[in-house]
Amino acid sequence: MKRLDRDQMAARVARDIPEGSYVNLGIGLPTKVADHLPRNREIFLQSENGLLGMGPAPALGEEDPELINAGKQPVTLLSGGCYFHHADSFAMMRGGHIDICVLGAFQVSVNGDLANWHTGEPDAIPAVGGAMDLAIGARQTFVMMELLTRRGQSKLVETCTYPLTGLACVSRVYTDLGIFSVGGGGASVVELVEGVSLDDLRQMTGLSLGRCGVAYTS
Amino acid sequence: MKRLDRDQMAARVARDIPEGSYVNLGIGLPTKVADHLPRNREIFLQSENGLLGMGPAPALGEEDPELINAGKQPVTLLSGGCYFHHADSFAMMRGGHIDICVLGAFQVSVNGDLANWHTGEPDAIPAVGGAMDLAIGARQTFVMMELLTRRGQSKLVETCTYPLTGLACVSRVYTDLGIFSVGGGGASVVELVEGVSLDDLRQMTGLSLGRCGVAYTS
Amino acid sequence: MIDKAAVSAEVAVADISDGASVMIGGFGTAGMPDELIDALIRRDVGDLTIINNNAGNGETGVAALIAAGRVRKIICSFPRQSDSHHFDARYRAGEIELELVPQGNLAARIHAAGAGLGAIFTPTGFGTLLAQGKETRRIDGRDHVLEYPIHADFALIKASKGDRWGNLVYRKTARNFGPIMAMAARTTIAQVSELVPLGSLDPEVVVTPGIFVQRVVEITPGAAIADLDAATA
Amino acid sequence: MIDKAAVSAEVAVADISDGASVMIGGFGTAGMPDELIDALIRRDVGDLTIINNNAGNGETGVAALIAAGRVRKIICSFPRQSDSHHFDARYRAGEIELELVPQGNLAARIHAAGAGLGAIFTPTGFGTLLAQGKETRRIDGRDHVLEYPIHADFALIKASKGDRWGNLVYRKTARNFGPIMAMAARTTIAQVSELVPLGSLDPEVVVTPGIFVQRVVEITPGAAIADLDAATA
């Protein structure tokens, strides 16, 4: 079965981000979305450690240890960007000023619950960072993840079994095998990946998925 | 009976403000204290409309309508001063960062309750400004007022009859006829004005005033 | 390309409609966005709820808005002043509702709205008339009042410089409520004395990041009269 | 004359004693006041409660403090990282207590302390493990958790420039928690890369007004090694 690779997934998410959006890209996979935002679209990337108007990674040798993103990687600032402190940064988030937040996930439930911070294993050292603030703060929270675990279990679930990050906060789930809308009564397939049918997705997830569209991801 | 005039009162308050203090001077009479702070003592005046390091009034013709104090009078900024927004300004106050606040009053009670914002008359249009924040925010709140009303009634009282600004917030009351400490179980005379006896003050106020010192205000 | 610059004050306020809640920056006249208010007055909208520190000074700004009969309610800390006669008259006539809020609580409630908090326990006002009927709680030995955020549909503020992304810097004490009102309103409209090219504001000194600002309109000081002439021509 | 400049990091931290609560600025290594932490390590104090976003990276800063066994409890949002081995080992050995706080709640609680609020209702964390046992309330259709301010005895922060009154400006994302920690601690100690004469910081661009800062110590970048040599000589 054909799956989208990580760059294809990132490109697909990027397509849904309109010009002028204020966007926070979570650590890990979502960071890739930045590479696929079209250059001719002005989109404002926020990093919760205190910058807005985040630019691409600096050239080798140009790194500044005091100019980093939430993943602690060196970044740059676009002309027109600015710096602020942590309380202001999370005010942007919690106050509903960020239009779109893209996060990774362990699980997302059909009603939009998100689990992405803790495996729940008793000996794991928990670390939450800004995940809970991001999940519930943005006007729209997108999740970007592979649909299945390595063992083939669906990460889109009826009810999350991992500890929750936020309740009913996710609106859309971008996966390597299809795009889903969640919340508001259940999950639907918004877009199919070529070669994957609605029945395939129903079987893989074990969910009675509705269908909102007939589009195929290219 | 000899009374301190307003400049003498202001000078007396100024004497009790140590170097390095962060001070907010309320609108009206307390504003005068600034004129009596010794030049060789660095004291930081805050104005709640967003400046720290307030300097004296500008020279005639040098007024800037965007550089004003809480009383909306033109002021100047000392070298080393700075500007900030209203939430930060009142965070300074409410967060206990201001050492001393000097306010005028209609009444102060022996336990330190303050009434200085509203006469309580039914047809008066109420206006509170920053009075309530200032009263309870500073580490020490000083009141500066004439002891008696024009009709000869004491403004230092057992219980305030005017609507309160704050509860148990005043520590010291500077008047034209004596200096009082209030709160913590009652009022005491801290300093007498020359020619006014403790008995005079007891008679004028109708309060069983204690006595903490024998000093005279000069 | 994102360009938040509006061509005129009229255009900038064109979607403010009857019954809107409007935060207006300024402390006294410092930071008062007079030209935006004038443009609002020229629109035929009423029943407004105004959030400002004062209730108008003299004949301009908020005072002019009140005089024009557009204000149903005002939320402020210090309405009564020597030159607040327009408010005084309307208030005494029962034509305007007043919610009086201690200045620091006003700032904190506006800030809480911008920061997405549901409510705050503040010590200011405890035991006073202004806390009557409000929930209170003793926390860590200090009495507090529960206060709710103040949101608004619009904020009209005045800054010194702005760029097309909405980044703002202010001048001296004209800063006052501008930065927090920008955070608390759904649509923030800033009049700036100078619209500067993107990138000319130092990223370290931007006071209001563009994310909090939806529209910027350049009002060169002194140009107000010409603007008014054009509008009435 | 008020001069908040301390002659050395040693002198600046000399009154931090056993059991103190200490906020430490920095997000990862950006804004971490390494030299102040080193000076604290050289003092023989333990049982500290540390408030920082992380629980140490690599071998320096908060990690070194933990490695030296000085930390009883840490309040942070993101302890586990690829290079947090010192924390991991102590935590697994039960030698260090962890209070895990979502990063935005951490910032809001520190800010609330600085601003003198008694508590805040925040939506973050509702319905999660991190809100277990906490008071909740539905306000305006949204669920919230009641969170209390985080105060501290000391804050150690790093800024770019400072003056003798304690005014500070920061550099890029090294700003992070510095400004709000400065507000929330009883004694704030700032290491600055450059101590500048009073009046050289533009009053419009000061990020942390001196009122929030009790001590400033100049640590010229690159001078740390010389400083350490002097201290151990």
Side-chain angles (χ1 to χ4, degrees):
Chain A
M1 189 173 297
K2 199 178 142 190
R3 299 171 182 222
L4 300 189
D5 66 20
R6 301 184 134 218
D7 274 303
Q8 288 171 313
M9 287 168 68
R12 184 59 195 82
V13 173
R15 236 174 66 196
D16 283 356
I17 299 179
E19 175 150 42
S21 299
Y22 290 90
V23 178
N24 185 295
L25 301 174
I27 297 179
L29 186 51
T31 305
K32 263 196 180 305
V33 173
D35 302 333
H36 295 274
L37 294 171
R39 299 259 159 186
N40 62 350
R41 226 187 269 168
E42 284 192 339
I43 287 165
F44 308 103
L45 298 181
Q46 195 244 22
S47 187
E48 65 262 33
N49 57 315
L51 77 164
L52 187 63
M54 185 166 63
L60 214 70
E62 302 278 302
E63 299 89 351
D64 182 336
E66 293 190 332
L67 179 46
I68 59 175
N69 65 12
K72 304 189 175 85
Q73 301 159 315
V75 293
T76 53
L77 189 77
L78 299 179
S79 182
C82 63
Y83 304 107
F84 34 84
H85 64 54
H86 249 79
D88 281 347
S89 180
F90 280 89
M92 285 179 194
M93 186 62 57
R94 201 190 304 107
H97 307 283
I98 301 286
D99 297 300
I100 297 170
C101 175
V102 185
L103 296 173
F106 297 149
Q107 289 177 326
V108 179
S109 77
V110 294
N111 73 333
D113 291 352
L114 171 67
N116 78 346
W117 73 284
H118 194 338
T119 59
E121 284 160 33
D123 68 333
I125 299 177
V128 66
M132 290 185 180
D133 309 276
L134 296 170
I136 61 99
R139 288 189 202 163
Q140 289 187 80
T141 296
F142 293 169
V143 158
M144 188 178 165
M145 66 181 188
E146 272 117 32
L147 181 61
L148 306 176
T149 66
R150 286 181 197 174
R151 295 177 173 193
Q153 289 178 303
S154 176
K155 295 158 78 176
L156 183 64
V157 294
E158 190 63 39
T159 308
C160 293
T161 54
Y162 286 110
L164 292 182
T165 306
L167 274 68
C169 53
V170 179
S171 59
R172 195 162 275 224
V173 183
Y174 294 82
T175 78
D176 51 342
L177 293 165
I179 302 175
F180 306 84
S181 85
V182 294
S188 301
V189 176
V190 175
E191 218 173 85
L192 292 165
V193 170
E194 222 173 317
V196 183
S197 71
L198 182 59
D199 277 343
D200 291 339
L201 292 176
R202 284 182 176 147
Q203 202 176 338
M204 286 188 278
T205 61
L207 299 170
S208 57
L209 297 166
R211 183 166 186 176
C212 317
V214 292
Y216 282 85
T217 299
S218 59
Chain B
M1 190 173 296
K2 198 177 141 190
R3 299 170 182 221
L4 300 190
D5 66 22
R6 302 185 133 216
D7 274 301
Q8 288 171 314
M9 286 169 68
R12 184 58 197 81
V13 173
R15 234 174 67 195
D16 283 358
I17 298 179
E19 176 149 45
S21 300
Y22 290 90
V23 178
N24 184 295
L25 301 174
I27 297 178
L29 187 50
T31 305
K32 264 197 178 306
V33 173
D35 302 333
H36 295 275
L37 294 171
R39 300 258 158 186
N40 61 350
R41 227 186 268 168
E42 283 192 341
I43 286 165
F44 308 103
L45 298 182
Q46 194 244 22
S47 187
E48 64 263 33
N49 56 317
L51 77 164
L52 188 63
M54 185 166 62
L60 215 69
E62 303 278 301
E63 300 88 349
D64 183 337
E66 295 191 330
L67 180 44
I68 59 173
N69 65 12
K72 303 190 174 84
Q73 301 160 314
V75 294
T76 53
L77 190 78
L78 299 180
S79 182
C82 64
Y83 304 107
F84 34 85
H85 64 54
H86 249 79
D88 281 348
S89 180
F90 280 88
M92 286 180 192
M93 187 61 56
R94 200 190 306 108
H97 307 283
I98 301 287
D99 298 299
I100 296 171
C101 175
V102 185
L103 296 174
F106 296 149
Q107 290 179 324
V108 178
S109 78
V110 294
N111 73 332
D113 291 350
L114 171 67
N116 78 346
W117 74 283
H118 194 339
T119 59
E121 285 161 32
D123 67 333
I125 298 177
V128 67
M132 290 186 180
D133 309 275
L134 296 168
I136 61 97
R139 289 188 202 162
Q140 288 187 79
T141 297
F142 293 170
V143 158
M144 187 178 167
M145 64 181 190
E146 271 118 30
L147 182 60
L148 306 176
T149 65
R150 287 181 196 174
R151 295 178 174 195
Q153 288 177 307
S154 176
K155 294 157 78 174
L156 183 65
V157 294
E158 190 64 40
T159 307
C160 293
T161 54
Y162 286 109
L164 292 182
T165 307
L167 273 69
C169 54
V170 179
S171 60
R172 197 162 273 226
V173 183
Y174 293 82
T175 78
D176 51 341
L177 291 165
I179 303 175
F180 305 84
S181 85
V182 293
S188 300
V189 176
V190 176
E191 220 172 84
L192 291 166
V193 170
E194 222 175 317
V196 182
S197 71
L198 183 59
D199 277 341
D200 291 338
L201 292 176
R202 284 180 176 148
Q203 202 176 337
M204 285 187 277
T205 61
L207 300 170
S208 57
L209 297 166
R211 183 165 186 174
C212 318
V214 293
Y216 282 84
T217 299
S218 58
Chain C
M1 193 181 100
I2 296 300
D3 189 356
K4 298 183 181 179
V7 295
S8 69
E10 272 64 35
V11 169
V13 304
D15 58 348
I16 302 182
S17 54
D18 281 349
S21 55
V22 184
M23 292 181 168
I24 298 183
F27 180 89
T29 55
M32 179 81 76
D34 281 325
E35 286 77 5
L36 289 178
I37 298 171
D38 289 342
L40 180 58
I41 292 172
R42 290 197 291 276
R43 276 178 55 71
D44 185 26
V45 295
D47 213 21
L48 301 174
T49 294
I50 298 298
I51 299 105
N52 178 258
N53 187 62
N54 303 105
N57 298 81
E59 303 298 328
T60 60
V62 172
L65 197 61
I66 291 171
R70 309 301 173 78
V71 183
R72 183 181 64 78
K73 178 182 177 180
I74 188 155
I75 303 175
C76 72
S77 87
F78 208 75
R80 193 203 56 230
Q81 298 176 84
S82 58
D83 56 355
S84 62
H85 42 274
H86 285 303
F87 168 78
D88 298 359
R90 297 254 167 196
Y91 178 77
R92 290 194 195 283
E95 291 167 7
I96 194 165
E97 186 188 340
L98 169 66
E99 181 180 343
L100 190 68
V101 181
Q103 195 172 155
N105 282 358
L106 185 64
R109 291 173 63 189
I110 293 169
H111 184 263
L117 300 177
I120 54 174
F121 277 108
T122 164
T124 300
F126 178 84
T128 74
L129 283 178
L130 299 187
Q132 271 184 346
K134 296 188 173 180
E135 180 176 340
T136 62
R137 191 180 295 199
R138 194 167 185 86
I139 300 169
D140 211 11
R142 197 178 197 193
D143 291 306
H144 294 81
V145 183
L146 186 67
E147 294 282 0
Y148 293 91
I150 300 175
H151 294 269
D153 299 318
F154 294 90
L156 308 183
I157 64 174
K158 182 181 180 177
S160 164
K161 293 179 189 179
D163 64 27
R164 68 176 173 85
W165 281 3
N167 294 306
L168 303 178
V169 297
Y170 301 82
R171 188 170 171 277
K172 304 189 177 181
T173 57
R175 186 183 305 195
N176 58 69
F177 284 91
I180 55 173
M181 287 183 170
M183 296 171 68
R186 196 157 27 213
T187 301
T188 292
I189 306 166
Q191 74 170 65
V192 299
S193 304
E194 193 185 351
L195 185 68
V196 298
L198 195 71
S200 42
L201 297 175
D202 179 348
E204 300 282 7
V205 314
V206 167
V207 173
T208 295
I211 189 172
F212 297 128
V213 178
Q214 282 66 48
R215 292 169 207 158
V216 177
V217 55
E218 185 180 46
I219 307 283
T220 312
I225 294 155
D227 187 49
L228 185 63
D229 287 348
T232 53
Chain D
M1 194 181 98
I2 296 301
D3 189 355
K4 297 182 180 179
V7 296
S8 69
E10 273 64 34
V11 169
V13 303
D15 57 348
I16 301 182
S17 54
D18 283 349
S21 55
V22 184
M23 293 181 169
I24 298 183
F27 179 87
T29 55
M32 180 81 79
D34 282 326
E35 286 78 5
L36 289 178
I37 299 171
D38 289 344
L40 180 57
I41 292 172
R42 291 197 289 276
R43 279 177 53 74
D44 185 26
V45 294
D47 214 22
L48 301 174
T49 294
I50 299 297
I51 298 104
N52 179 258
N53 187 61
N54 303 105
N57 298 80
E59 303 298 330
T60 60
V62 172
L65 197 63
I66 291 171
R70 309 300 173 78
V71 183
R72 183 181 64 75
K73 177 180 177 181
I74 187 155
I75 302 175
C76 72
S77 86
F78 209 74
R80 192 203 59 229
Q81 298 176 86
S82 57
D83 56 354
S84 63
H85 42 273
H86 286 303
F87 168 79
D88 298 359
R90 298 253 167 196
Y91 179 76
R92 291 196 194 284
E95 291 168 8
I96 194 166
E97 185 188 339
L98 170 66
E99 180 180 343
L100 190 69
V101 181
Q103 196 172 152
N105 282 357
L106 185 64
R109 291 173 62 188
I110 292 168
H111 184 263
L117 299 178
I120 53 175
F121 278 106
T122 164
T124 300
F126 178 83
T128 75
L129 282 177
L130 299 186
Q132 273 184 346
K134 296 188 174 181
E135 180 177 340
T136 62
R137 188 180 297 198
R138 194 168 186 84
I139 300 169
D140 210 12
R142 198 178 195 191
D143 291 307
H144 294 81
V145 183
L146 187 67
E147 294 282 359
Y148 293 91
I150 300 175
H151 293 268
D153 299 319
F154 293 90
L156 309 182
I157 64 174
K158 181 181 181 178
S160 163
K161 294 180 188 177
D163 64 27
R164 67 176 173 85
W165 281 3
N167 294 306
L168 303 178
V169 296
Y170 301 83
R171 190 172 169 276
K172 302 187 177 181
T173 58
R175 186 184 304 197
N176 57 68
F177 284 93
I180 54 173
M181 287 182 170
M183 295 170 70
R186 195 154 29 209
T187 301
T188 293
I189 307 166
Q191 75 170 64
V192 298
S193 303
E194 193 186 350
L195 186 67
V196 298
L198 195 71
S200 41
L201 297 175
D202 179 349
E204 300 282 6
V205 313
V206 166
V207 173
T208 295
I211 189 172
F212 298 127
V213 178
Q214 282 66 50
R215 294 169 206 159
V216 177
V217 56
E218 185 181 44
I219 307 283
T220 313
I225 295 155
D227 185 50
L228 185 64
D229 287 350
T232 55

